[in-house]
Amino acid sequence: MPSRRRHAPSRSAAVAVLSALVASAALPACSATPLPTEKPAAPAAAAPADTPPTPEVRPTPPAPAAAAPQRPSVTLTAEDRAAFTRWKADMRAEAQARGLSARALAALDAAQLQPRVLELDRSQPEFTQTFWGYLGRAVNDRRVEEGRALMQRHADLLAGLEVRYGVPGRFLVAFWGMETNYGSNFGGFPVVDALATLAWDARRSAFFRNELLAALRIIDGGHIEPQRMVGSWAGAMGHMQFMPTTFAAHATDATGDGRIDIWGSLPDALASAAKYLSDIGWKRDQTWGREVSLPPGFDYSVADGQTRKSLQEWAALGIGRSDGGGPLPVVEGMQATLILPGGARGPAFLVYDNFNAIMTWNRSVLYAVAVGHLADRIAGMPPLATPRPTDDRPLSRDEVMRLQALLNSAGFDAGQPDGLVGSGTRGALRAFQRAAGLPPDGYPTPQVLAALEGWGGARGGQTQGQ
């Protein structure tokens, strides 16, 4: 099977992209409970590397949630549909030349254009997401409690997977909760329809053409009936929302029945996720990161998502435990990166190599922090120590465009205003914040927009008074 990634479009392992802060992903405390040590003892249980986890009873797959009921705003003409028919004939010839069977070709023949898929692919959110808004939806009490119950229910399966792949069960359950709310929402779109629609559309045709061929190979291999192959509008599938090429490269048959059913077999789905994380570099002797406290007057320029230092070096800069419990735990030779996903007023995190693995799964800092925090909460750890600001609110796209225009006018190059907060906008914002004497966190807020709006007048007044 060919090897490729998960989650459309391409994603990277680098923590460096705080431009990915604006994510497009979905969604009871014990304050005395410490974070697990950065280097916990190896699991006591031992099993040969090639011993599969004990299979569980294959659960009945949940009824997939239907696609959003809104009427699509994208209108397809008769010419579009004729063009799709011609494209599909060409695609069929290619698939046949690649050796795909009549079973897979029939699934392609039955594919229909999905206007709603095109609408979702082209849509942009009206508002940016704040860290707190995202985290509140992703890590809520109901999801935490359900995750804890599922940890207990599937304890044997999860323990076997940790022995084999080195990924603790709390992380697998956290990914499961983030991706499909524990299997309650697979997406509801026919995967072949969605991928054929996106492969036909010119915007990202090459990427989705490859995914479509991988999906047809899954059908060809007898892993799933075409009518059960449902997923997101972008073709992500099953309990853990694998893209077809990720399925091809990393999915595994945990039950030994000759099929990999990431829709109906929880052992297959969780084992595939554990294998994927192991394949992309998960370190069994580390956690993902921890919330930390920063000293007064801290230099925010090192919280850029790129600067790596040893834990000793971070501790020397005055970084400590977020709960006020003393100095930062230090493990010899362990490296970390400092991130501020909610800006200077939000929590600070030191993140480790496993954070990079989460970012490979989904290149969004918000998503990666939410997975790590949800895993911690499922394990019984407390909520974040940093409180949410009472005036926390997102900027609208129009406000972001105004912020970008103001940055450009003030001589801080944010690029063409488009309403999207990317690396160029964040870099320009940091430069402005440094010039204005503000914490250079690169985080867009109503307050920093107001400071930019007053910047021109303030600078003019200073010039006149000199």
Side-chain angles (χ1 to χ4, degrees):
M1 292 183 181
S3 170
R4 276 242 347 167
R5 274 232 11 84
R6 182 200 175 270
H7 278 81
S10 60
R11 302 187 193 275
S12 157
V15 177
V17 263
L18 284 178
S19 61
L21 206 53
V22 180
S24 60
L27 306 276
C30 181
S31 58
T33 305
L35 285 165
T37 58
E38 277 72 12
K39 285 191 177 285
D50 58 353
T51 301
T54 302
E56 293 191 348
V57 175
R58 185 182 297 274
T60 301
Q70 300 99 311
R71 183 183 298 276
S73 62
V74 172
T75 301
L76 296 175
T77 65
E79 183 179 347
D80 290 330
R81 296 187 184 279
F84 180 71
T85 300
R86 294 191 298 271
W87 174 89
K88 198 162 60 166
D90 291 340
M91 189 74 207
R92 189 186 201 280
E94 179 181 344
Q96 191 168 19
R98 289 173 179 258
L100 290 169
S101 68
R103 169 189 173 89
L105 295 175
L108 178 60
D109 291 340
Q112 301 292 315
L113 271 176
Q114 295 281 347
R116 177 66 175 151
V117 167
L118 294 174
E119 179 185 273
L120 290 168
D121 184 50
R122 296 169 185 173
S123 65
Q124 296 289 352
E126 182 181 352
F127 289 89
T128 60
Q129 293 193 74
T130 69
F131 167 81
W132 293 107
Y134 183 93
L135 195 73
R137 288 186 293 274
V139 187
N140 53 60
D141 288 345
R142 180 175 180 179
R143 184 167 284 175
V144 169
E145 292 303 322
E146 189 171 354
R148 290 174 180 171
L150 289 167
M151 279 280 292
Q152 294 180 352
R153 186 182 309 164
H154 302 291
D156 290 344
L157 171 62
L158 294 167
L161 293 175
E162 181 170 1
V163 169
R164 188 176 187 191
Y165 296 109
V167 182
R170 64 191 179 103
F171 287 100
L172 297 177
V173 173
F175 276 107
W176 187 19
M178 289 289 293
E179 292 295 342
T180 61
N181 198 27
Y182 307 118
S184 67
N185 185 359
F186 284 1
F189 286 90
V191 166
V192 175
D193 283 19
L195 292 175
T197 298
L198 293 167
W200 167 76
D201 188 42
R203 199 167 84 85
R204 290 185 287 171
S205 178
F207 176 86
F208 285 108
R209 191 182 190 95
N210 193 41
E211 295 294 339
L212 175 59
L213 286 167
L216 295 175
R217 290 189 191 97
I218 294 170
I219 294 171
D220 199 27
H223 299 294
I224 188 74
E225 295 294 328
Q227 63 271 20
R228 286 186 56 228
M229 196 181 203
V230 294
S232 74
W233 64 266
M237 312 176 301
H239 282 277
M240 309 303 279
Q241 293 290 276
F242 273 20
M243 289 299 288
T245 52
T246 301
F247 180 105
H250 305 285
T252 188
D253 174 15
T255 60
D257 64 357
R259 295 189 301 121
I260 304 173
D261 184 2
I262 61 173
W263 297 263
S265 168
L266 193 55
D268 283 1
L270 291 177
S272 295
K275 181 178 181 297
Y276 177 43
L277 288 166
S278 176
D279 289 348
I280 60 178
W282 188 274
K283 294 188 175 180
R284 67 169 64 231
D285 61 348
Q286 294 186 13
T287 184
W288 70 279
R290 63 162 65 238
E291 186 185 8
V292 295
S293 64
L294 305 180
F298 185 77
D299 177 9
Y300 286 94
S301 66
V302 297
D304 56 2
Q306 298 179 353
T307 302
R308 283 176 62 83
K309 295 179 180 292
S310 69
L311 293 180
Q312 292 96 325
E313 290 173 315
W314 288 120
L317 292 177
I319 292 179
R321 291 179 179 271
S322 62
D323 58 4
L328 185 72
V330 169
V331 177
E332 185 69 30
M334 192 167 173
Q335 300 275 312
T337 302
L338 182 65
I339 61 171
L340 299 172
R345 300 196 303 163
F349 298 92
L350 280 179
V351 295
Y352 313 136
D353 290 337
N354 286 338
F355 189 81
N356 292 356
I358 303 174
M359 288 281 288
T360 299
W361 182 298
N362 185 322
R363 189 184 168 186
S364 161
V365 172
L366 296 186
Y367 177 93
V369 170
V371 166
H373 183 53
L374 179 57
D376 288 348
R377 293 291 310 281
I378 287 171
M381 299 171 214
L384 297 178
T386 304
R388 179 175 184 170
T390 57
D391 57 352
D392 178 62
R393 80 163 179 87
L395 294 181
S396 69
R397 287 199 71 196
D398 286 346
E399 286 176 315
V400 173
M401 290 182 71
R402 174 156 178 74
L403 179 141
Q404 291 167 327
L406 287 168
L407 285 170
N408 289 336
S409 297
F412 306 101
D413 184 13
Q416 179 66 32
D418 58 5
L420 304 176
V421 181
S423 58
T425 299
R426 291 188 184 281
L429 190 53
R430 286 192 185 93
F432 161 71
Q433 289 168 321
R434 281 192 289 269
L438 302 173
D441 58 13
Y443 193 72
T445 63
Q447 292 78 16
V448 80
L449 176 59
L452 259 172
E453 288 171 334
W455 177 252
R459 295 288 291 175
Q462 290 177 5
T463 302
Q464 291 172 4
Q466 289 175 348

